């Protein structure tokens, strides 16, 4: 694929379609939405509104990092604090499908729906890629960015049309376009991270306190395994408890599972053979997080397990 030609073509197509109208997109910090943001900014300039929805489920320092990167690129991004809406939507839920559904609804119906209406935009840009479409058609994965699958007809629901400039590309193509657009490696070379974010790593109810625990454990795992060459690594907070000892006293504490997998495309995966010393260091740091008294390393391949826990 010729990234330069793709950018040229899509820039012209975006200008033709949007005309003198307004477009909007949501930036998550993943490579797909980052490429859409940079491409559309190049094509549409001030006719584009890009929002970064802070949803309470992000990794430590994430909003600041993404806003800094786009600030450095001179691309304006509006930060929308929707943490309360997402936490409210998740309160009391422990079923995985209900949790995922609540996040989708909070995003499309409550938060983003409102933002789009207020913006007056008539075009919504989405970072759907070919793999998303394939997996949806094959019924493999429920994709948060394919609205028809969610039963939403955007034109009648919100009055906007959806444009998907990346729908002919796969991940390697998106990365090539990202590089050609000048997006930094720290953004385009990141390990995969799911749309529902840390909620996929909390078994049971998602609360502020439990998010804080999994966020701290995630930071440890990402620091310790950065550059290890694995496909993906993460920490998950289990719903169970176990007995431990802290400062000579019994503690009935929380359990964190660490997962690190080798994979080509996440359809199948095997546990990475991490050096024992690294695992010991991760375990020591994770059990220093308040309330956590055990750390496990997950050896299960996919299948039968999935990569995420929820
Ligand atoms: P699973 O857990 O299904 O994950 O083995 C396979 C890959 O997909 C990512 N993942 C998601 N990505 N929205 C996303 O954008 C989601 O809802 C979602 N669920 C899982 C996961 O991180 C892994 O890379």
């Amino acid at each position: 694929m010729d990234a330069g030609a793709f950018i040229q073509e899509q820039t012209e197509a975006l200008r033709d379609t949007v005309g003198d109208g307004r477009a909007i997109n949501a930036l998550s910090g993943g490579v797909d939405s980052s490429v859409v943001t940079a491409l559309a900014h190049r094509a549409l300039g001030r006719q584009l509104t890009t929002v970064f929805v802070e949803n309470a489920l992000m990794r430590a320092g994430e909003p600041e990092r993404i806003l800094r990167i786009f600030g450095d690129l001179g691309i304006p991004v509006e930060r929308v604090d929707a943490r309360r809406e997402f936490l409210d939507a998740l309160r009391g839920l422990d079923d995985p499908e209900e949790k995922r559904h609540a996040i989708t609804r909070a995003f499309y119906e409550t938060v983003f729906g409102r933002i789009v209406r207020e913006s007056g935009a008539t075009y919504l840009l989405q970072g759907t890629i070919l793999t998303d479409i394939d997996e949806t058609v094959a019924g493999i994965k429920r994709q948060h960015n394919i609205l028809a699958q969610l039963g939403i007809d955007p034109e009648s629901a919100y009055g906007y049309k959806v444009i998907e400039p990346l729908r002919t590309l796969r991940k390697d193509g998106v990365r090539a376009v990202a590089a050609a657009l000048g997006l930094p490696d720290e953004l385009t070379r990141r390990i995969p991270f799911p749309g529902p974010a840390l909620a996929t790593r909390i078994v049971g109810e998602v609360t502020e306190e439990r998010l804080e625990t999994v966020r701290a454990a995630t930071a440890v795992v990402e620091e310790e395994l950065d550059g290890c060459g694995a496909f993906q690594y993460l920490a998950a907070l289990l719903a169970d408890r176990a007995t431990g000892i802290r400062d000579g006293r019994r503690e009935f504490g929380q359990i964190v599972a660490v997962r690190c997998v080798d994979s080509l495309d996440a359809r199948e995966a095997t546990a990475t053979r991490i050096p024992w010393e690294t695992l010991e260091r991760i375990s020591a740091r994770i059990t220093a997080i308040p309330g956590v008294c055990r750390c496990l390393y997950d050896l299960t391949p996919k299948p039968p397990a999935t990569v995420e826990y929820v």
Side-chain angles (χ1 to χ4, degrees), residues 190-229:
R190 295 176 96 187
I191 55 168
F193 188 73
L198 296 177
T200 62
R201 297 164 185 187
I202 294 180
V203 183
E205 189 179 1
V206 176
T207 63
E208 262 173 291
E209 198 185 2
R210 303 192 79 216
L211 278 162
E212 214 170 288
T213 305
V214 86
R215 191 175 286 124
T218 302
V220 169
V221 170
E222 292 195 352
E223 258 175 61
E224 294 288 345
L225 297 179
D226 180 37
C228 75

Side-chain angles (χ1 to χ4, degrees), residues 100 141 144 192-196 201 231-232 266 302 306-308:
R100 282 170 164 269
K141 198 153 103 183
H144 60 282
F193 188 73
R201 297 164 185 187
F231 176 80
Q232 194 170 0
K302 173 184 179 176
T306 55
V307 174
E308 305 291 346

Side-chain angles (χ1 to χ4, degrees), residues 142-189:
R142 188 190 154 89
Q143 288 291 343
H144 60 282
N145 52 1
I146 298 195
L147 296 174
Q149 194 184 9
L150 305 169
I152 298 172
D153 167 13
E155 217 169 342
S156 61
Y158 308 121
Y160 58 67
K161 296 190 181 71
V162 173
I163 308 177
E164 295 168 322
L166 312 183
R167 60 181 303 136
T168 57
L169 302 182
R170 295 203 185 271
K171 212 61 159 193
D172 53 343
V174 180
R175 289 197 210 281
V177 174
L181 284 166
L183 294 176
D185 279 1
E186 72 166 305
L187 204 146
T188 58
R189 298 275 156 212

